[in-house]
């Protein structure tokens, strides 16, 4: 089974930037797209962004549109999340996820085949 390993989380001041990376051990048959989710303390895990492995189709949650950019590098089996203009409400554990289809608007928790273990992002005010 494919393994996903996130990196790049940390502490940043409001208005700052971070770039998350997620390395997949392989691109398994049926894995057509990747996504990022996040989960803040006491809240449910929520969709953030998604993209296909050809990096053509990208989708975002309304809360991050215009600030976050997802991209995929098929040659490196890696997906990135560039986060700019960070806000304290972006504080959460960020999870990389593998999906078996390319969604048109978003992914739900049940759409995900494989999860990474997460990387923490803390945005101070």
């Amino acid at each position: 089974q494919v393994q996903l390993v996130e990196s790049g989380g940390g502490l940043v001041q409001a208005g700052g930037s971070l770039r998350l990376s997620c390395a997949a051990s392989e691109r398994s048959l049926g894995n057509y797209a990747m996504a990022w989710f996040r989960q803040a303390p006491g809240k449910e895990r929520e969709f953030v962004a998604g993209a296909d492995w050809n990096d053509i189709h990208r989708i975002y949650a309304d809360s991050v549109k215009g600030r976050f950019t997802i991209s995929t590098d098929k040659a490196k089996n890696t997906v990135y999340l560039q986060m700019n203009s960070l806000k304290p409400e972006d504080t959460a554990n960020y999870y990389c996820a593998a999906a078996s289809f390319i969604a048109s608007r978003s992914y739900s928790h049940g759409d995900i085949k494989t999860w990474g273990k997460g990387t923490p992002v803390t945005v101070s005010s």
Side-chain angles (χ1 to χ4, degrees), residues 40-100:
K43 295 188 176 181
E44 292 187 353
R45 194 170 296 189
E46 63 176 2
F47 168 75
V48 175
D52 65 287
W53 272 116
N54 290 319
D55 205 21
I56 295 174
H57 182 62
R58 300 176 179 180
I59 51 176
Y60 298 94
D62 287 343
S63 58
V64 305
K65 275 181 184 176
R67 300 189 298 122
F68 290 12
T69 302
I70 187 172
S71 61
T72 58
D73 187 331
K74 191 162 56 175
K76 295 182 178 179
N77 288 349
T78 300
V79 57
Y80 304 96
L81 186 67
Q82 178 66 44
M83 306 186 295
N84 298 329
S85 302
L86 282 161
K87 304 175 182 179
E89 51 263 43
D90 294 318
T91 295
N93 273 331
Y94 282 71
Y95 297 89
C96 178
S100 59

Side-chain angles (χ1 to χ4, degrees), residues 12-18 83-86 123:
V12 64
Q13 289 188 333
S17 299
L18 280 175
M83 306 186 295
N84 298 329
S85 302
L86 282 161
V123 184

